Amino acid sequence: MTAARPLNRIPGLDGLAFGRLISPPTQAAINKVNQTAFGNSAKWRFQPGTYTTRQVVEHVAPLLNSLIAELGQDPPGAEPSRKILIDGLRSCLAISGRESTLPIGDAINMAGESARKVMAKQAQRIGSLLVRCAQNAPPPDVTVPQMTVRSPCEGHVWTREVAGLLIGPRSNGNLMQVYNEWLHQIVLLRDGLLPFENFDEVRLTIKQEGARPVDDIRSKFLMQIMTAQVKRTTVIDVAKALTASGLPSGGYGFQYGSGLVMPLSLFTGSSSILLKYVPATVDDSRHQELLFDYENKDYFSAPRHEISVDEVTSNASSISSTNSYSTTSNPVFSSFAIENPRETDSFSQIRRIKLQGSFEDGAQYSVDVGQITRGLRYVYRAVNTNCEDSSAEPSSFALHKASDVLSLPDLVTSTSRSDGVRLHVIQAGSAVARMALLGKLYPENVVLVNGEKQSPTSALGVGKGFGPQFVIIGGDVVG
């Protein structure tokens, strides 16, 4: 009898289980296999398989090795050809400078954590790793074959040293294309890894054309980064290019042969635009590739439930401190459920994930995980310990139990102050309860407050000035 695989647990969700861990395969002895199979001359191709980032760079190393061999011995006193060519790669992967393929270095010193700044930091980290991998790629242990490759000009600017080497008398037209392909493969690899927070861990599904599938979406992605208009749908589609290229566009996460790719925010409680690779699966059906999609494509047009004072469970008129908020409720049982929204179509690759559970008072809840990611994206986070606002009279507070709110239908909202309520306060002592509430409340004027360090009135002055606010009390407020 086969032992059950270990559960994959999410620390940021009180250790809640999310699928089971797997041991993804990786390609072995890439450099030797790629070089010994060719003979004296070969047209370069990528050996399809599952790779780590380092292994992909090793697999394209024969292009560089062939180029250096064809250039011949360096003249006495000249800078080594390998160093010149790898320095050229470093300049192309830099985020500033004449040769930069992603010139967004100015974003590093910007205030806040905009998507552009996040991608600039990613590009720096990934670029440094790829250059190290190129430097450390094992040299050939057999005679290097002459590589031929058709690599159209991609517009990359070469350093003057590279141009002098490849346009000089030691080179030829084929060597220029070999270098261009080696360079472009690694640039594409960098761009394809930008969505992943743990880019050094992700397993890549590489086909014969190498990293070329990123080309199909690269221009769109880079334009959004350059104009500071990065869309999450684009980020998830870029992540699929080298992992699950057979999946349709859209969604917020996916499963493929080597694991899961999910929003980093689900693991950290932040609003990060990045994704996280996890070597686990949540659905062991015949489909290896599954797209996790939103229950409501457009949450703005989704059904809403207007909360009323009839649903207030305590008289909050005497509340004066966070210690007075004793009405709290946390789920006694929670789990993730995977649903096929097209039950009649057994071949559908679309799935929905629900966070569901029950409370001690018998109330049950089921919240779309996709909507939770939206809640994390749009929630406001209180930053002050208190807010001196004389208009915030105690009578303007309404205290709700988390179980009552979560058991309501549709997305819960409050658009009117006609009942005198300015703040709808919900205490949630567990990360699971907070996440569930973020997926249940319409994401317009919701504020997270640290119950140990901040008063509920610290939510005043945060968020939109119109309409009542929902204030979720409890736990650290992650940015």
Side-chain angles (χ1 to χ4, degrees):
M1 183 176 179
T2 305
R5 289 181 281 123
L7 292 171
N8 171 55
R9 298 189 179 278
I10 305 178
L13 273 179
D14 304 323
L16 190 63
F18 185 63
R20 292 187 177 274
L21 296 172
I22 63 173
S23 298
T26 55
Q27 205 74 10
I30 300 163
N31 217 28
K32 293 181 180 180
V33 171
N34 201 31
Q35 293 188 57
T36 56
F38 291 114
N40 294 326
S41 180
K43 184 176 181 180
W44 181 81
R45 62 176 176 79
F46 211 102
Q47 180 180 333
T50 302
Y51 297 88
T52 63
T53 298
R54 174 185 60 80
Q55 289 173 329
V56 173
V57 178
E58 289 180 354
H59 201 108
V60 298
L63 287 169
L64 180 65
N65 292 336
S66 173
L67 168 59
I68 293 171
E70 286 293 303
L71 287 171
Q73 188 172 359
D74 296 316
E79 190 171 23
S81 300
R82 179 178 290 273
K83 182 179 185 305
I84 290 175
L85 298 172
I86 291 180
D87 283 349
L89 170 68
R90 180 185 287 107
S91 295
C92 276
L93 294 177
I95 58 174
S96 61
R98 172 178 170 270
E99 297 84 16
S100 174
T101 53
L102 189 56
I104 54 173
D106 62 298
I108 291 293
N109 297 318
M110 295 174 63
E113 283 296 314
S114 66
R116 193 167 188 263
K117 182 175 181 178
V118 169
M119 290 302 169
K121 290 181 176 180
Q122 282 286 98
Q124 273 192 326
R125 296 170 59 211
I126 298 169
S128 296
L129 172 65
L130 296 180
V131 170
R132 290 197 305 272
C133 290
Q135 291 172 324
N136 298 330
D141 58 1
V142 295
T143 301
V144 180
Q146 176 185 345
M147 293 284 185
T148 61
V149 62
R150 174 68 181 104
S151 184
C153 177
E154 303 295 346
H156 300 319
V157 179
W158 293 351
T159 63
R160 293 175 176 85
E161 294 77 9
V162 169
L165 186 64
L166 296 183
I167 302 178
R170 299 167 60 190
S171 185
N172 58 56
N174 179 63
L175 294 189
M176 294 172 64
Q177 294 200 56
V178 169
Y179 180 72
N180 182 72
E181 187 65 22
W182 175 75
L183 186 70
H184 194 53
Q185 285 284 337
I186 299 180
V187 169
L188 289 174
L189 177 60
R190 187 272 312 270
D191 296 341
L193 290 171
L194 286 174
F196 298 96
E197 182 267 344
N198 56 341
F199 53 83
D200 54 337
E201 300 175 11
V202 64
R203 295 299 192 270
L204 305 171
T205 306
I206 306 295
K207 299 178 182 179
Q208 190 164 315
E209 65 271 27
R212 283 280 176 177
V214 179
D215 264 332
D216 295 337
I217 196 171
R218 177 174 185 261
S219 296
K220 176 181 179 181
F221 186 37
L222 297 194
M223 180 61 70
Q224 290 181 6
I225 294 176
M226 296 295 294
T227 58
Q229 299 292 326
V230 183
K231 299 183 182 298
R232 291 175 187 255
T233 52
T234 305
V235 172
I236 195 75
D237 285 345
V238 171
K240 295 171 194 167
L242 296 180
T243 54
S245 59
L247 286 174
S249 178
Y252 60 86
F254 57 90
Q255 174 180 296
Y256 69 116
S258 295
L260 299 169
V261 174
M262 297 295 289
L264 178 63
S265 58
L266 289 175
F267 300 85
T268 63
S270 69
S271 58
S272 176
I273 197 171
L274 296 179
L275 304 170
K276 183 180 178 66
Y277 162 76
V278 182
T281 59
V282 295
D283 188 322
D284 292 327
S285 64
R286 60 177 138 177
H287 299 293
Q288 279 195 320
E289 293 188 354
L290 297 171
L291 181 69
F292 304 133
D293 207 358
Y294 300 94
E295 180 177 22
N296 296 305
K297 291 283 188 182
D298 177 16
Y299 71 90
F300 186 80
S301 59
R304 306 182 202 178
H305 179 89
E306 183 82 15
I307 200 166
S308 69
V309 292
D310 294 335
E311 288 149 357
V312 176
T313 61
S314 298
N315 183 354
S317 61
S318 61
I319 294 174
S320 59
S321 69
T322 56
N323 293 331
S324 301
Y325 291 86
S326 57
T327 304
T328 181
S329 55
N330 295 316
V332 294
F333 171 77
S334 295
S335 65
F336 290 100
I338 312 298
E339 299 178 353
N340 181 358
R342 305 172 184 173
E343 295 180 358
T344 58
D345 182 5
S346 61
F347 293 96
S348 172
Q349 293 179 293
I350 308 299
R351 296 290 185 274
R352 291 177 186 156
I353 306 178
K354 296 293 184 69
L355 175 60
Q356 60 185 24
S358 58
F359 292 82
E360 190 172 353
D361 59 7
Q364 297 183 336
Y365 74 95
S366 179
V367 180
D368 178 50
V369 170
Q371 191 62 35
I372 292 175
T373 67
R374 286 172 171 155
L376 287 164
R377 186 189 322 169
Y378 296 118
V379 70
Y380 297 96
R381 290 166 169 84
V383 293
N384 301 318
T385 56
N386 207 340
C387 178
E388 297 298 331
D389 188 338
S390 58
S391 65
E393 298 297 331
S395 59
S396 65
F397 290 80
L399 185 61
H400 303 267
K401 292 173 63 178
S403 59
D404 288 345
V405 176
L406 287 172
S407 59
L408 292 173
D410 305 324
L411 294 180
V412 176
T413 189
S414 180
T415 58
S416 172
R417 289 185 182 176
S418 59
D419 53 13
V421 173
R422 183 172 182 184
L423 297 180
H424 292 278
V425 179
I426 313 166
Q427 193 170 53
S430 71
V432 171
R434 289 192 293 277
M435 287 284 198
L437 286 167
L438 287 174
K440 189 64 177 177
L441 300 172
Y442 182 78
E444 182 172 65
N445 218 0
V446 181
V447 184
L448 274 177
V449 170
N450 188 322
E452 297 179 357
K453 302 176 183 178
Q454 297 170 316
S455 163
T457 56
S458 64
L460 298 170
V462 179
K464 296 180 173 65
F466 58 83
Q469 290 178 315
F470 282 96
V471 181
I472 302 175
I473 302 285
D476 291 335
V477 178
V478 181

